[in-house]
């Protein structure tokens, strides 16, 4: 079983912690157990905004130092990963009663949406974004601090602070806990179709209006009018409402009567064609009643001046997505097929943000993953979490679980000390940060790295660290002490310095500027820090300007070397990235099909060409470069051995690293 090496003895006091443990003092109520009910595991949540919606599963691992398969291309044999899952990722969620727009034009509360449902999403970028049907891939619930966003048209959305909405300024977080993330503001204009209307209640007035519209409409319908499910509804309504009562025209029709009347009239003589909703009849006075009901419900309509053949007249609801949806939702008509594919996404004045309010409550919230990476929540375009498969080897969900269920090996410090002391241990270099970042935000809570670093120092065992986290500066003194007795290799991952691109694909990590500042402090402390320029995104961050700007910033921060790593699209990350790319940069889709159509890797010619361009930029800025064929080790003056994604460790089909530091390699986007 995949969990066997993580199994912990039940009732282990060291796992549960001491009463004076300040971490446990900050913990909220216990969360549900792991899916496989790992013996002795403790599940915890925390109240702070940075960890809202996350669960940490504390386990006592049986082993910490892991061997890399001999067939792997990785240039190291041993790794240490104190975490499984990553708190760098964000979680976006909404209140369970938020209506979600389905692909057929109907709406369903978010809490009731199911995997496999067809919903409406979007694709494209900027003014070229369009609606498309998409499929729900995942659905989950969590508990998070809640905010309420109120729009000019009265729409009220309850969501977490991390939830993102599409505005005229791009994607914006409702109220991000982390500084530097793009935040929603009063006055921002959202994108979408506007507030979804509440469905009708089948009151006596509604039923009476339905019968009136159905029967009177049928009387004036053109020859060959269809039978429909509306007549089945009418049979049940007639059990309580006499037909002669239903056929009376009310002097002052109520809103419920008008909704029912339109639903019945549509059942008798209406039809839908994409966005069009049309009523036909030979009775002009009947169509006058339809026009009046549409007007009172705020639905614009038109009357063609000339009849069709056979003296058939018509009324058409405005051919607009908002009107088409509002008609369906107000009347409860379910037999009107809607095809909104290709309709442009608009941003209207009524979708202007009027207020953003912290409710001061922690509420149950829900989210879904869709094929397009977004969905329509109460009429506005909302971002969702993407599914990745990097967590499936733990038998956990590949999307939300990866972001929100982090397995923490709480005994990492004592465990590595015991393993380093074992007679069979050879003292080989150990690479860290090869699967998930050891300096992710969770490390600020659990403080596992100080114990690990102290053990490596005391046994003078060489090691390397690859990270995007600036928390590494907390352990600077321990790193100095270790470097005085053994080889310590440090590397920062900085793929580009474009802040907008960072917010789009890596917003849960420290910004490139903060990583450069951390790099400078490490260099000032005497470390020879290598930089993994990773991932380089074809068509987005591989231009001469981007490479020059990034390499110049890396050199200015004091890096010793730079190694480019091209985007690597393994299954899971491939779907995540493809959904984002086709939504934000559809013009690049043909190029990506050409580069990645036959597998996870870009062609060697592309890699070599990119490597040459980075090499030239590095020379211009005076960065130290390793010579071709020079072996990479965990030496203190070289780029660290942890230069690759640990996902590569299980790929037996690829050859080992050549040792050519300036040639680009591949990195999985996580």
């Amino acid at each position: 079983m995949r969990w066997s090496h993580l199994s912990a003895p039940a009732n282990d006091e060291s796992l549960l912690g001491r009463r004076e443990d300040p971490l446990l003092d900050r913990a909220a109520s216990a969360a549900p157990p792991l899916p496989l009910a790992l013996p002795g595991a403790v599940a915890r949540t925390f109240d702070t905004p940075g960890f809202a919606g996350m669960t940490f599963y504390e386990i006592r691992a049986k082993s910490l130092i892991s061997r890399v398969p001999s067939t792997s291309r990785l240039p190291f044999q041993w790794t240490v990963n104190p975490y499984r899952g990553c708190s760098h990722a964000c979680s976006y969620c909404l209140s369970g009663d938020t209506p979600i727009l389905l692909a057929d034009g109907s709406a369903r509360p978010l809490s009731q949406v199911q995997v496999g449902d067809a919903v409406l999403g979007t694709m494209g970028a900027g003014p070229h974004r369009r609606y498309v049907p998409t499929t729900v891939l995942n659905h989950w619930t969590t508990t998070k601090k809640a905010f309420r966003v109120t729009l000019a048209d009265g729409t009220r959305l309850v969501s977490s602070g991390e939830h993102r909405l599409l505005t005229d300024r791009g994607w914006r977080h409702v109220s991000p806990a982390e500084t530097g993330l793009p935040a929603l503001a009063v006055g921002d204009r959202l994108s979408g179709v506007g507030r979804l209307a509440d469905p009708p209640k089948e009151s006596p007035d509604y039923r009476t209006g339905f019968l009136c519209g159905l029967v009177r409409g049928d009387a004036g319908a053109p020859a060959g009018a269809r039978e429909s499910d509306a007549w089945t509804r009418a049979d049940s309504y007639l059990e309580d409402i006499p037909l002669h009562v239903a056929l009376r025209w009310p002097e002052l029709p109520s809103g419920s009567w008008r909704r029912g009347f339109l639903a019945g009239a549509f059942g008798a003589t209406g039809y839908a064609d994409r966005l069009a909703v049309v009523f036909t009849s030979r009775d002009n006075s009947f169509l006058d009643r339809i026009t009046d009901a549409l007007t009172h419900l705020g639905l614009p309509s038109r009357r063609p001046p000339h009849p069709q053949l056979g003296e058939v007249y018509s009324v058409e609801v405005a051919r607009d997505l908002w009107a088409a949806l509002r008609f369906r939702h107000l009347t409860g008509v379910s037999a009107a097929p809607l095809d909104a594919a290709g309709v442009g996404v608009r941003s209207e004045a009524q979708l202007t943000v009027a207020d953003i309010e912290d409710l001061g409550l922690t509420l149950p919230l829900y989210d879904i993953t869709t094929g397009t990476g977004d969905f329509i929540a109460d009429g506005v375009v909302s971002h969702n979490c993407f599914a990745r498969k990097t967590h499936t080897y733990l038998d956990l969900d590949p999307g939300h679980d990866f972001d929100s269920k982090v397995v923490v090996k709480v005994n990492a410090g004592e465990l590595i000390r015991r393993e380093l002391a074992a007679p069979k241990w050879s003292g080989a270099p150990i690479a860290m940060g090869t699967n998930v970042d050891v300096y992710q935000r969770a490390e600020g809570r659990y403080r596992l790295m100080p114990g690990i670093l102290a053990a490596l120092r005391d046994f003078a065992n060489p090691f390397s660290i690859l990270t995007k986290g600036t928390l590494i500066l907390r352990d600077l003194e321990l790193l100095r002490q270790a470097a005085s007795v053994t080889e310590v290799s440090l590397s920062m991952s900085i793929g580009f310095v474009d802040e907008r691109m960072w917010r789009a694909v890596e917003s849960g990590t420290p910004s490139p500027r903060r990583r450069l500042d951390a790099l400078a402090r490490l260099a000032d402390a005497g470390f020879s820090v290598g930089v993994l320029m990773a991932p380089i995104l074809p068509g987005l961050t591989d231009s001469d300007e981007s490479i020059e700007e990034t390499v110049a910033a890396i050199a200015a921060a004091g890096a010793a070397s730079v190694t480019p790593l091209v985007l690597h699209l393994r299954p899971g990350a491939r779907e995540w990235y493809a959904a984002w790319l086709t939504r934000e940069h559809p013009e690049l889709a043909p190029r990506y099909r050409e580069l990645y159509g036959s597998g996870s890797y870009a062609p060697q010619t592309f890699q070599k060409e990119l490597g040459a361009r980075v090499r030239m930029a590095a020379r211009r800025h005076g960065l130290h470069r390793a010579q071709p064929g020079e072996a990479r080790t965990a030496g203190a003056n070289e780029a660290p051995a942890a230069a690759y994604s640990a996902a590569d460790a299980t790929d037996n089909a690829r050859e080992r690293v050549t040792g050519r530091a300036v040639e680009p390699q591949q990195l999985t986007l996580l």
Side-chain angles (χ1 to χ4, degrees):
M1 180 177 289
R2 301 174 192 175
W3 285 99
S4 59
H5 72 292
L6 299 180
S7 296
N11 302 319
D12 190 324
E13 292 182 0
S14 62
L15 173 63
L16 299 177
R18 299 183 299 274
R19 289 185 179 274
E20 64 269 24
D21 187 340
L23 176 63
L24 301 188
D25 291 340
R26 296 191 295 269
S29 58
L34 281 168
L36 297 183
L38 198 64
V42 174
R44 301 191 186 281
T45 61
F46 300 97
D47 293 332
T48 53
F51 298 110
M54 298 190 67
T55 301
F56 295 90
Y57 295 97
E58 301 171 2
I59 59 97
R60 291 185 65 80
K62 288 184 177 181
S63 64
L64 191 70
I65 302 176
S66 302
R67 179 189 289 273
V68 176
S70 60
T71 52
S72 169
R73 65 181 288 177
L74 298 178
F76 50 85
Q77 289 183 295
W78 303 94
T79 67
V80 162
N81 291 291
Y83 300 96
R84 290 287 186 263
C86 187
S87 56
H88 276 328
C90 295
S91 180
Y92 317 106
C93 25
L94 290 163
S95 173
D97 60 358
T98 305
I100 304 303
L101 188 59
L102 303 186
D104 64 2
S106 61
R108 185 178 301 164
L110 178 56
S111 61
Q112 298 177 21
V113 172
Q114 298 179 355
V115 172
D117 283 345
V119 299
L120 209 59
T122 73
M123 292 184 69
H128 305 295
R129 188 179 293 272
R130 298 185 179 279
Y131 294 104
V132 294
T134 186
T135 303
V136 176
L137 305 176
N138 198 7
H139 181 274
W140 60 86
T141 182
T142 186
T143 301
K144 303 189 74 171
K145 186 177 181 181
F147 294 79
R148 180 165 56 207
V149 178
T150 303
L151 307 183
D153 68 353
T155 301
R156 292 184 176 183
L157 288 167
V158 175
S159 76
S160 69
E162 290 81 14
H163 187 72
R164 279 191 282 174
L165 300 171
L166 183 61
T167 75
D168 50 357
R169 298 188 298 133
W171 292 103
R172 291 291 182 268
H173 297 263
V174 170
S175 182
E178 185 175 342
T179 58
L181 295 181
L184 191 69
V186 172
D188 280 345
R189 183 177 291 188
L190 302 186
S191 299
V193 293
R195 183 180 183 180
L196 304 182
D198 295 328
K201 296 180 180 179
E202 291 198 1
S203 64
D205 262 8
Y206 176 87
R207 295 183 177 194
T208 302
F210 183 91
L211 290 170
C212 182
L214 182 66
V215 177
R216 287 186 176 273
D218 184 67
R226 69 187 186 282
E227 292 290 329
S228 69
D229 293 339
W231 291 101
T232 303
R233 292 176 65 183
D235 288 340
S236 64
Y237 293 170
L238 285 170
E239 294 177 3
D240 300 316
I241 303 171
L243 183 58
H244 71 277
V245 173
L247 291 178
R248 297 172 184 165
W249 293 113
E251 293 184 8
L252 294 173
S254 66
S256 292
W257 187 93
R258 289 188 173 102
R259 291 189 185 201
F261 173 72
L262 290 173
F266 185 87
T269 186
Y271 68 89
D273 179 17
R274 281 184 56 81
L275 300 183
V277 177
V278 182
F279 298 85
T280 60
S281 179
R282 292 191 178 92
D283 185 351
N284 259 317
S285 63
F286 179 73
L287 294 179
D288 289 341
R289 300 275 184 172
I290 291 176
T291 301
D292 178 73
L294 291 171
T295 301
H296 276 85
L297 294 178
L299 288 165
S301 62
R302 63 181 290 269
R303 297 277 296 273
H306 304 293
Q308 304 171 17
L309 292 176
E311 296 297 308
V312 176
Y313 297 86
S314 62
V315 174
E316 296 181 7
V317 178
R319 299 195 179 209
D320 169 84
L321 181 57
W322 174 85
L325 291 172
R326 190 165 180 83
F327 172 80
R328 287 162 174 79
H329 298 163
L330 284 173
T331 63
V333 168
S334 59
L338 175 72
D339 180 7
V343 175
V345 177
R346 295 188 299 190
S347 181
E348 306 288 356
Q350 65 266 25
L351 299 183
T352 301
V353 176
D355 188 34
I356 305 170
E357 178 185 2
D358 183 346
L359 295 181
L361 300 171
T362 299
L363 299 175
L365 300 173
Y366 296 78
D367 200 4
I368 56 177
T369 297
T370 71
T372 59
D374 62 5
F375 56 96
I376 314 304
D378 206 0
V380 297
V381 182
S382 297
H383 203 285
N384 66 212
C385 291
F386 294 94
R388 281 95 72 202
K389 296 184 179 178
T390 54
H391 222 34
T392 55
Y393 64 95
L394 294 180
D395 292 320
L396 291 174
D397 174 79
H400 182 64
D401 284 353
F402 180 84
D403 298 339
S404 63
K405 293 182 179 179
V406 178
V407 178
V408 184
K409 301 176 184 178
V410 294
N411 61 334
E414 63 187 77
L415 190 56
I416 192 172
R417 188 172 290 275
R418 185 170 74 233
E419 292 178 326
L420 292 174
K424 65 179 181 180
W425 177 246
S426 64
I430 291 175
M432 290 178 284
T434 60
N435 187 18
V436 294
D437 201 329
V438 295
Y439 282 108
Q440 59 178 282
R441 286 179 294 156
E443 171 61 17
R445 284 285 192 180
Y446 283 95
R447 300 181 62 86
L448 300 183
M449 285 302 293
I452 293 171
L453 294 177
L456 291 167
R457 173 202 63 194
D458 294 346
F459 286 89
N461 201 102
F463 64 89
S464 65
I465 298 175
L466 166 63
T467 184
K468 292 180 180 180
T470 56
L471 189 58
I472 190 175
L473 297 175
R474 180 201 63 190
D475 296 337
L476 186 54
E477 182 55 35
L478 274 172
L479 292 169
R480 284 198 188 101
Q481 294 171 13
S484 69
V485 296
T486 189
E487 293 178 330
V488 176
S489 181
L490 304 180
S491 182
M492 295 292 294
S493 175
I494 307 172
F496 41 81
V497 294
D498 187 318
E499 293 283 322
R500 290 180 300 175
M501 191 60 61
W502 162 68
R503 290 190 179 100
V505 298
E506 293 184 342
S507 62
T509 65
S511 69
R513 177 51 54 192
R514 290 176 58 196
R515 281 181 256 170
L516 288 167
D517 291 342
L519 166 61
R521 287 189 57 185
L522 291 170
D524 290 343
F527 288 95
S528 181
V529 186
V531 169
L532 289 150
M533 196 167 161
I536 297 178
L537 309 176
L540 296 173
T541 64
D542 63 342
S543 66
D544 290 340
E545 294 77 12
S546 178
I547 290 174
E548 186 72 19
E549 183 182 15
T550 303
V551 172
I554 290 170
S561 63
V562 59
T563 302
L565 294 104
V566 181
L567 177 67
H568 165 204
L569 293 175
R570 294 177 66 87
R574 188 182 187 92
E575 291 80 7
W576 182 93
Y577 189 78
W580 175 82
L581 184 78
T582 53
R583 186 179 68 254
E584 300 294 339
H585 300 282
E587 72 282 359
L588 291 178
R591 182 177 182 186
Y592 274 77
R593 282 193 291 269
E594 179 182 352
L595 290 175
Y596 297 98
S598 59
S600 300
Y601 293 90
Q604 285 291 325
T605 53
F606 178 81
Q607 297 180 47
K608 292 179 179 179
E609 185 268 339
L610 185 59
R613 291 164 58 203
V614 173
R615 182 189 307 119
M616 293 173 62
R619 287 175 177 171
R620 284 194 296 271
H621 293 281
L623 283 174
H624 166 74
R625 304 304 310 166
Q627 295 300 316
E630 183 177 322
R632 283 201 223 151
T633 68
N637 295 319
E638 299 175 3
Y644 304 92
S645 166
D648 294 338
T650 58
D651 193 332
N652 299 333
R654 295 187 293 273
E655 61 188 29
R656 283 183 169 274
V657 172
T658 63
R660 299 167 66 182
V662 296
E663 292 299 334
Q665 305 298 331
Q666 298 280 351
L667 186 70
T668 297
L669 182 66
L670 298 177

